[in-house]
Amino acid sequence: MNFLHRFSQLPTHEQIVYSLMAKLAAIAFVLGVVWVLLGFNDQSSARENPWQASVLPKVEDVAGLYAVVSENSRWFSEVPKQAPVEDPAKALEGKPESMRLTGLVTKGDIRYALFVPVLPSLSASGKPAVQQLKVGDKLVGDWEITGIAANQVDIRQGEEARTLRMYQPKK
């Protein structure tokens, strides 16, 4: 089967579309050739090109330049030594800031405060991640819970007392 025979078997609307596409492609090709032959192109002529040959200045001190380039390594520079980073777990150890108040629960007539460690490594001691504490329990170190209110927990260590709020205002 030749091309014209196949084309004649297409529906009429497809024949019209394909013939229009072929005519438009032919017209675009002819217009492109005419455009270039008339000199309407996007290339500037050789006379208008402002290109100039590069001129490098003559180097007086070749040995000095070689010394500058060869003294300092350009590829592998050593990283300056930094002060050792303090472990955040050590800084919080034994302080109330190492625990975050996450909930307040009442069972019967006893109120409980729910705490989770701020750093996950602090909970690796085998204790459950969430600690349920009541008045009189130790929070961390010598910090003892002295009171549990509707949205805060009072803690004390010796003469120092603090209040941990459930919802901290943004500063």
Side-chain angles (χ1 to χ4, degrees):
M1 247 201 251
N2 66 10
F3 175 73
L4 292 177
H5 183 65
R6 284 191 203 169
F7 187 75
S8 65
Q9 290 180 346
L10 289 175
T12 308
H13 65 280
E14 287 183 15
Q15 289 178 9
I16 293 171
V17 169
Y18 289 133
S19 62
L20 280 176
M21 286 175 39
K23 289 175 186 176
L24 285 175
I27 291 172
F29 178 75
V30 170
L31 284 177
V33 169
V34 170
W35 186 268
V36 171
L37 291 176
L38 291 177
F40 300 116
N41 58 18
D42 60 348
Q43 302 293 321
S44 60
S45 66
R47 295 179 307 256
E48 299 170 8
N49 195 343
W51 179 84
Q52 295 178 3
S54 299
V55 179
L56 298 175
K58 191 170 186 176
V59 177
E60 301 291 329
D61 185 18
V62 175
L65 289 175
Y66 177 77
V68 168
V69 171
S70 63
E71 284 175 6
N72 298 330
S73 174
R74 302 286 184 230
W75 301 105
F76 302 104
S77 60
E78 291 186 24
V79 178
K81 293 184 179 180
Q82 298 176 349
V85 179
E86 184 179 325
D87 184 19
K90 294 258 186 215
L92 291 176
E93 207 170 280
K95 295 182 180 178
E97 292 84 11
S98 66
M99 301 296 282
R100 178 176 296 135
L101 177 62
T102 58
L104 299 166
V105 180
T106 304
K107 284 186 184 175
D109 57 346
I110 301 175
R111 281 200 168 162
Y112 293 96
L114 304 176
F115 289 93
V116 294
V118 173
L119 298 173
S121 62
L122 295 178
S123 65
S125 61
K127 295 183 181 178
V130 178
Q131 293 183 17
Q132 179 178 321
L133 305 171
K134 62 182 187 297
V135 175
D137 289 345
K138 298 279 186 188
L139 180 60
V140 288
D142 292 333
W143 289 93
E144 182 180 338
I145 297 177
T146 57
I148 300 175
N151 65 345
Q152 68 185 27
V153 174
D154 298 322
I155 58 173
R156 176 178 299 278
Q157 177 186 18
E159 295 296 319
E160 186 179 359
R162 291 191 191 175
T163 300
L164 305 174
R165 299 194 189 289
M166 182 70 176
Y167 302 105
Q168 296 291 334
K170 293 191 177 191
K171 295 179 181 179

